[in-house]
Amino acid sequence: MAEAVFHPPRRKRKVYESYDSPFPISALQDGVYEREDKICQAEIINKNVIVKNPEDIAQVYSKGFFGKGIFSRSRPEYGISKPALVVKWQGARLNMPVISSKKFQHYVEWAKGRMKEQGLDDCTVNKFILNYTEPLDLEGKDEQTSESGNEEAQAMEPAEPKPVVSSEERNQAARLEGDPHCDPLGERGSNELGRTGFQAITKTHSPKSPSSLHEDSKQDDCVEQESPVLSSGEYSDQEFVLVQEESDWSPEEENVPETSQLNRKEKLVCRRNPFRIFEYLQLSLEEAFFLVYALGCLNIYYNEIPLSILKLWEFFSEVQPNFRTTYMAYHYFRCKGWVPKVGLKYGTDLLLYRKGPPFYHASYSVIAELVNGDFEGSSQRSFSWKSLSSLNRTTANVSKELMFCYLIKPSDMTEEEMSSPECLKRIKVQELILHRWVSSRERNEQD
């Protein structure tokens, strides 16, 4: 059997990440790690392990690149802003998401649906949504606020529908940005309100849907009532959006040049978002168990009850029949310094990255097999030469190598021992890299 030749990983051309640490734990001298005082929390939802706390998300993903955003390809950085509108209105320099009126109407309808599920009648729902989403005035209120004892409260007072930023008022919008007298969001800063980067998930308030705060507020007739979504003391914690809308057209503008008319037809209006979307971090079962068992930096809850390591091992084995095998391989490669990810899109168990997906392309596609000393076992896949050749060709076409990871268990290991993660201590590993034999290449090397 020929000895495998190591091929260096292919580094990505554009890297937007910084490498902090291979694990979300503190490092001591001589490369020894210790457990941090802070233990992250996750919960099992529909047989998936989800991390909701923004600080835990940042900790788990930034240090080791564990998991992926439920709306994103990797880093949880989902934003509701439409990229084309952000570019179009970049001259305004406002630190709020920019969305279309059509998308905003979708949010309104979703919020109405959630409220109706709580038993509220149509009249109450429509009246509340209308009041909640009315435009907010961001224009100057210096004279009003100077005479008032509560400047912030007056700056946040909803006003009659009017354009906040039009195409001809972008210079004025730049002046108003950041001024608490003119901009009710000026004191909150751009990092918290922006939805275009990773900092968006670091908000500390817990996500709540509009319907979660008014379960007992059903009324039979339309009467004035306190906002079931937002109380007076929570105004500053809500999310605001800029909605691109068409401005009202007046007969006086008939003689205006066509190019100016097109610009004036559109404006940005600041409104409160009735249906906020929060992105969470989803961990694979192997990643979740590694954080619990190997690092001890994560607690997993099911129905608000913390699960022990043995319970998790049993539960994950039921949810995913080959979990024991894939976790053994995951644990082995993580300890070797690789960052394993799910290899489903290439028909394998794992993909191995150096440092993490943001820095390098995957080097290996791994198939994990649990066998005995004679390399016999209940294979999860029944490979034929045809299927194996197809998988190998697919792997080679994406500049990766196909690796078989054989997890060899002792012949005297019982099923009872396999029911505990302590069986990992007795498992041996052998790696086999498969290459396609090319006759012409072999002859050239021999010559």
Side-chain angles (χ1 to χ4, degrees), residues 120-145:
L120 293 176
D121 57 272
D122 294 342
C123 187
T124 303
V125 171
N126 293 333
K127 184 176 182 62
F128 170 74
I129 291 294
L130 182 63
N131 294 333
Y132 185 77
T133 60
E134 64 180 4
L136 300 177
D137 184 12
L138 300 186
E139 295 188 355
K141 293 186 178 182
D142 295 334
E143 297 180 359
Q144 298 179 11
T145 55

Side-chain angles (χ1 to χ4, degrees), residues 23-28 31-37 295 297:
F23 301 121
I25 53 179
S26 300
L28 299 178
V32 179
Y33 291 87
E34 68 172 354
R35 297 184 180 182
E36 287 191 342
D37 296 332
L295 302 182
C297 62

Side-chain angles (χ1 to χ4, degrees), residues 74-245:
S74 53
R75 174 176 285 276
E77 55 184 2
Y78 172 78
I80 64 175
S81 291
K82 188 175 181 179
L85 295 182
V86 173
V87 175
K88 178 179 179 180
W89 295 94
Q90 61 183 350
R93 296 185 298 174
L94 291 177
N95 304 316
M96 286 178 282
V98 183
I99 62 176
S100 63
S101 58
K102 183 178 180 180
K103 188 173 186 178
F104 184 77
Q105 289 302 318
H106 287 322
Y107 292 163
V108 170
E109 295 301 323
W110 294 342
K112 288 182 179 179
R114 293 295 302 273
M115 294 177 70
K116 290 178 182 179
E117 290 177 1
Q118 301 297 329
L120 293 176
D121 57 272
D122 294 342
C123 187
T124 303
V125 171
N126 293 333
K127 184 176 182 62
F128 170 74
I129 291 294
L130 182 63
N131 294 333
Y132 185 77
T133 60
E134 64 180 4
L136 300 177
D137 184 12
L138 300 186
E139 295 188 355
K141 293 186 178 182
D142 295 334
E143 297 180 359
Q144 298 179 11
T145 55
S146 62
E147 297 176 358
S148 172
N150 190 350
E151 298 179 355
E152 183 178 0
Q154 288 197 13
M156 293 182 178
E157 189 71 16
E160 293 297 325
K162 59 192 304 184
V164 176
V165 182
S166 63
S167 299
E168 64 180 358
E169 295 174 341
R170 295 185 182 180
N171 294 333
Q172 180 183 3
R175 178 182 63 82
L176 299 180
E177 179 190 3
D179 186 356
H181 296 287
C182 304
D183 185 358
L185 307 181
E187 294 182 347
R188 298 193 58 78
S190 60
N191 291 336
E192 186 172 356
L193 292 172
R195 281 295 182 270
T196 58
F198 180 64
Q199 294 296 331
I201 67 169
T202 59
K203 291 173 70 66
T204 56
H205 68 279
S206 59
K208 296 180 181 179
S209 64
S211 59
S212 62
L213 303 179
H214 57 265
E215 297 180 356
D216 301 326
S217 61
K218 181 178 179 181
Q219 299 185 5
D220 295 330
D221 52 350
C222 288
V223 295
E224 195 69 21
Q225 62 176 356
E226 185 178 355
S227 166
V229 178
L230 180 65
S231 64
S232 58
E234 296 177 344
Y235 196 103
S236 59
D237 288 335
Q238 301 306 303
E239 179 178 305
F240 297 82
V241 294
L242 293 173
V243 185
Q244 176 179 282
E245 301 178 357

Side-chain angles (χ1 to χ4, degrees), residues 383-399:
F383 280 114
S384 63
W385 285 113
K386 184 177 181 180
S387 62
L388 185 59
S389 177
S390 300
L391 179 60
N392 188 35
R393 178 64 69 90
T394 301
T395 303
N397 286 343
V398 291
S399 302

Side-chain angles (χ1 to χ4, degrees), residues 15-33:
V15 178
Y16 304 97
E17 302 280 356
S18 60
Y19 188 78
D20 297 331
S21 172
F23 301 121
I25 53 179
S26 300
L28 299 178
Q29 296 179 355
D30 301 328
V32 179
Y33 291 87

